[in-house]
Amino acid sequence: MSYMKELTELCGRLGCRITPECPLSGYDTFKIGGPCRALVSINSTEAASELIRFLRSGGIKYGIIGRGSNILVPDEGFDGIVLLFGGDFADISVDGNRIICQSGALLASACVHAQQNSLTGMENLFGIPGTVGGALYMNAGAYGSEMADIVVSAEYLDTEGQLHTIEKADMELSYRHSIFSGTNNVITSVTMELSAGDSSAVKDAMNECMRKRSAKQPLDYPSAGSTFKRPEGSYASLLIEQCGLKGMTCGGAMVSEKHSGFVINKGFATFADVSELCDNIIKIVKEKTGYTLELEPVILK
């Protein structure tokens, strides 16, 4: 790792925090996973661009995370550099009916900004535990709403560190998918357009959204949210429950007894536990129903 000294100096010049051999279990909502070679907290688009160019030119493996709410990290960790788009890159501004967010801003914070500015259109997204950039990356949604309903445009860095602007029409937005999915292009800014509304009514809708989440989802356990994508023609949670898998365990991983669409960490789960349990679920559901379930979280590898 002869590049580490040079990377550390570059981060110092850019004002980015760097943590060598950083355990990633502290940076994902499943609370599992080993260390990366170093975690770098991004603080500007310019810094991200320069770091990507440095890593690419050196042939150095790197990965991107935000809140870590839709990823799984292997027990051995990630043999590369992780660029964290989080609290150091989380500015939110409002321009009329539009909200412009740096990609590290929490989606919940954007919802609060909307409510405080009497804007409606993203209440159902309140409570999704991810960043705005991560939400666009996977076209996150809940209760009949998704990012595709409100996004207007975004800025992103390509794998050469070049900045681009992309309009919604070119984002290839579909169920839990965007043009960014499966790529190392890095969303840096997202612009969303909402409608004028009543602040109190928006707040009431947000509170109702959280009430429904708390009532139905196992929010008191670490997880990556919905573990499987919705198969066409059915629901993963329904299929899992029909197969009698609610409460099924593997080590510290368990199919939630509160919501069978969630695999949760009972407090001591490993990546291996989660992987084995998910493999078993997929196999049994396929055998008993004919449906093939697909993991929703992305494995950082």
Side-chain angles (χ1 to χ4, degrees):
M1 293 192 296
S2 57
Y3 61 84
M4 281 300 298
K5 182 175 184 294
E6 192 175 350
L7 176 61
T8 301
E9 291 173 350
L10 176 59
C11 288
R13 180 167 63 79
L14 296 172
C16 295
R17 292 179 293 138
I18 180 169
T19 307
E21 297 300 323
C22 182
L24 292 175
S25 58
Y27 291 88
D28 67 72
T29 57
F30 230 128
K31 302 302 180 187
I32 60 175
C36 58
R37 294 301 182 191
L39 183 137
V40 178
S41 185
I42 299 300
N43 61 6
S44 70
T45 299
E46 295 74 22
S49 175
E50 193 159 345
L51 282 160
I52 288 170
R53 290 199 301 271
F54 170 81
L55 295 169
R56 287 281 294 180
S57 65
I60 303 164
K61 183 179 178 181
Y62 68 95
I64 310 297
I65 66 171
R67 175 80 194 286
S69 58
N70 199 50
I71 65 170
L72 283 165
V73 181
D75 296 321
E76 64 271 21
F78 179 73
D79 188 25
I81 305 302
V82 169
L83 303 181
L84 174 65
F85 287 76
D88 290 347
F89 192 66
D91 287 348
I92 301 173
S93 61
V94 178
D95 182 8
N97 287 355
R98 293 192 170 189
I99 294 184
I100 303 95
C101 302
Q102 288 183 326
S103 59
L106 292 178
L107 187 60
S109 297
C111 292
V112 170
H113 271 73
Q115 181 267 322
Q116 291 173 340
N117 286 273
S118 301
L119 296 174
T120 181
M122 60 188 310
E123 294 89 326
N124 286 348
L125 304 180
F126 185 62
I128 293 178
T131 62
V132 174
L136 179 58
Y137 177 92
M138 64 171 290
N139 189 24
Y143 303 116
S145 299
E146 58 185 9
M147 287 294 290
D149 299 330
I150 56 175
V151 67
V152 174
S153 63
E155 292 183 344
Y156 71 94
L157 293 166
D158 63 22
T159 55
E160 302 300 325
Q162 297 297 312
L163 186 65
H164 303 268
T165 298
I166 184 170
E167 302 298 319
K168 173 185 175 178
D170 299 316
M171 292 182 187
E172 300 178 8
L173 297 168
S174 60
Y175 175 70
R176 301 300 174 266
H177 175 82
S178 75
I179 196 171
F180 302 105
S181 302
T183 75
N184 254 356
N185 290 333
V186 181
I187 299 166
T188 57
S189 175
V190 179
T191 298
M192 299 169 285
E193 184 156 15
L194 307 177
S195 302
D198 177 76
S199 179
S200 295
V202 171
K203 187 172 184 178
D204 288 344
M206 288 164 58
N207 289 337
E208 174 61 15
C209 179
M210 280 306 300
R211 186 197 66 75
K212 289 191 290 187
R213 283 182 175 275
S214 297
K216 295 180 179 180
Q217 299 179 5
L219 302 183
D220 47 344
Y221 287 95
S223 76
S226 296
T227 308
F228 301 97
K229 294 181 181 179
R230 185 179 68 233
E232 188 173 351
S234 190
Y235 292 90
S237 58
L238 176 64
L239 295 170
I240 292 167
E241 191 160 350
Q242 286 176 342
C243 291
L245 304 181
K246 208 175 219 185
M248 183 181 184
T249 63
C250 181
M254 181 175 78
V255 178
S256 169
E257 295 178 316
K258 189 173 186 179
H259 190 310
S260 53
F262 284 61
V263 169
I264 61 172
N265 178 359
K266 293 194 295 179
F268 54 93
T270 63
F271 174 83
D273 292 341
V274 174
S275 296
E276 184 176 345
L277 180 56
C278 289
D279 287 347
N280 289 340
I281 293 167
I282 292 170
K283 179 183 177 182
I284 294 169
V285 168
K286 178 66 174 177
E287 289 174 349
K288 290 191 174 184
T289 71
Y291 282 94
T292 301
L293 295 183
E294 181 184 351
L295 273 181
E296 186 170 302
V298 176
I299 298 174
L300 189 65
K301 58 184 179 180

